[in-house]
Amino acid sequence: MVDGTVWHWTVRQRVRPDYADCRLTLSFFPEASERGLRHRLSLVFAPGPERIVSNSYFEAGTVVRLPDRAWLNLYEPGTARRLLEFAAPGLEARPLERNVEVDGWLCFDEALPAVTRPVRVPADDARSESHRRTP
């Protein structure tokens, strides 16, 4: 339940002979509103430079970002909830669209558990970071 709405979710994997055409899609369906309206929010993960989607080589439902090897498994309820909490407000901006499709990679950092989120160092500080000493 997010903001009083009960959501259902599913993960679909599309495997094609050409890996570039493979997709992992996490779809959310809220229970019907009083007016009977139903929407679908789909977060689509496609392979790309430094982005890997499982296509039966490793654990189903897994997406990996390189080079830091951060990964998410879309079947895990905690991952699905974090992605939904971040992406669901986008449905409000498009109330008349029944099917809203979003690039899942745009939500990736928000779905990482807090302990594994990357620490961003501003470009100016990156060089001096390696010279800092801890007390």
Side-chain angles (χ1 to χ4, degrees):
M1 185 177 291
V2 174
D3 293 331
T5 302
V6 175
W7 293 83
H8 304 274
W9 56 284
T10 183
V11 178
R12 290 185 159 180
Q13 182 174 3
R14 184 178 84 186
V15 178
R16 303 291 171 142
D18 184 3
Y19 176 68
D21 295 329
C22 294
R23 300 287 182 271
L24 272 176
T25 303
L26 174 61
S27 295
F28 297 98
F29 306 87
E31 287 191 350
S33 67
E34 303 84 46
R35 296 176 286 168
L37 297 175
R38 294 207 45 145
H39 296 283
R40 179 177 67 196
L41 171 62
S42 296
L43 304 179
V44 180
F45 292 86
E50 299 188 354
R51 295 175 176 176
I52 298 172
V53 300
S54 65
N55 65 344
S56 70
Y57 180 70
F58 52 93
E59 190 174 304
T62 300
V63 293
V64 181
R65 180 182 61 202
L66 300 175
D68 65 349
R69 297 183 183 157
W71 63 276
L72 297 171
N73 187 306
L74 304 182
Y75 285 107
E76 292 180 3
T79 298
R81 180 169 182 104
R82 288 187 301 271
L83 284 165
L84 176 61
E85 288 174 344
F86 182 74
L91 284 176
E92 295 172 10
R94 298 148 83 172
L96 300 178
E97 288 184 54
R98 290 190 53 149
N99 298 313
V100 176
E101 196 170 283
V102 177
D103 179 358
W105 292 106
L106 299 175
C107 309
F108 187 89
D109 280 339
E110 296 302 320
L112 290 173
V115 295
T116 61
R117 285 193 186 140
V119 176
R120 306 244 187 248
V121 178
D124 293 343
D125 292 343
R127 281 179 262 122
S128 62
E129 188 70 26
S130 62
H131 299 292
R132 289 187 187 160
R133 295 186 182 186
T134 54

